[in-house]
Amino acid sequence: RGWTGKGSLVVVADTGADTLHVDLDDNIAHTIDYTGNGISNASSHGTHVAGIVAAEKNGVGMHGAAFDAKLAIAKVSDGGGYSFSRAINAASWGKNLGAVAINVSAETRLDTGFKNNLVKDSAGTWHNTHWYYGTNGYNGAVNEAVKWKAALGNEMVLVKAAGNAGTDYSAGMNQMATATDANGNLILDGQMIIVGSY
């Protein structure tokens, strides 16, 4: 159908990427390293994610879902932990470059305070009775959504991993997708897609 990503720029906020990889080298248009350790250092996860997004259709190996898209590689992690604050900076950077989306393949670990106060209302519907998380979301997801909205602007989409916890719910920073302001309006205005395997 022609949905190859042509004319689109996608930010991959991850562990950097192997910028010389035969399946990525022609599609990487921009790079930025927020760690100071080199864009290609410790980049296996970021290279993998960038390949899923936009590896070239060049007759070698595989190709990405949007193989004609260009990539903006933002290194926000060395693989030992993920920095959501750096990822927000990467979103602003991408917005200024004209990116249509930013991919964040990371999630926070949920503490027992959150998990022990989670109540299942019905299939696919949950709420939390924790004194802080019940109102503010995990790790202050409501306030984080405000920061992400400013970084994304009105057009860019945040594509976010559901996480690897194996739960029936997607919580943590994914609560930003349903975070609302005082008037009940979605803060991110539908600009967040949570991707998982069911």
Side-chain angles (χ1 to χ4, degrees):
R1 297 182 182 175
W3 295 350
T4 67
K6 188 171 184 178
S8 297
L9 178 69
V10 177
V11 177
V12 175
D14 212 287
T15 61
D18 178 357
T19 57
L20 301 178
H21 195 288
V22 67
D23 283 331
L24 296 177
D25 54 359
D26 288 342
N27 280 355
I28 296 175
H30 308 278
T31 63
I32 191 167
D33 177 14
Y34 290 103
T35 69
N37 294 323
I39 200 75
S40 297
N41 185 38
S43 65
S44 59
H45 189 270
T47 300
H48 178 84
V49 172
I52 291 170
V53 175
E56 302 160 29
K57 188 172 183 179
N58 57 9
V60 178
M62 48 73 79
H63 66 75
F67 50 83
D68 283 332
K70 294 298 181 186
L71 293 165
I73 304 297
K75 185 172 183 181
V76 299
S77 167
D78 279 321
Y82 192 87
S83 171
F84 283 94
S85 61
R86 289 176 181 163
I88 290 172
N89 291 336
S92 292
W93 172 70
K95 176 181 67 176
N96 292 335
L97 293 173
V100 297
I102 180 171
N103 185 84
V104 173
S105 291
E107 186 47 90
T108 56
R109 291 194 178 108
L110 302 176
D111 66 25
T112 55
F114 181 87
K115 291 190 276 189
N116 291 344
N117 290 281
L118 197 60
V119 178
K120 183 175 182 178
D121 299 319
S122 61
T125 305
W126 305 75
H127 77 274
N128 201 292
T129 59
H130 188 275
W131 68 272
Y132 180 81
Y133 300 145
T135 302
N136 302 292
Y138 193 67
N139 280 358
V142 172
N143 289 333
E144 290 299 305
V146 172
K147 295 176 190 175
W148 275 95
K149 177 60 179 172
L152 294 170
N154 294 323
E155 301 297 326
M156 201 169 160
V157 174
L158 168 59
V159 181
K160 176 81 176 49
N164 298 323
T167 60
D168 291 335
Y169 53 86
S170 180
M173 299 311 290
N174 292 336
Q175 290 181 296
M176 295 189 305
T178 57
T180 56
D181 62 20
N183 296 319
N185 300 310
L186 288 173
I187 295 169
L188 289 182
D189 198 27
Q191 291 172 249
M192 184 172 179
I193 300 170
I194 301 171
V195 180
S197 174
Y198 181 56

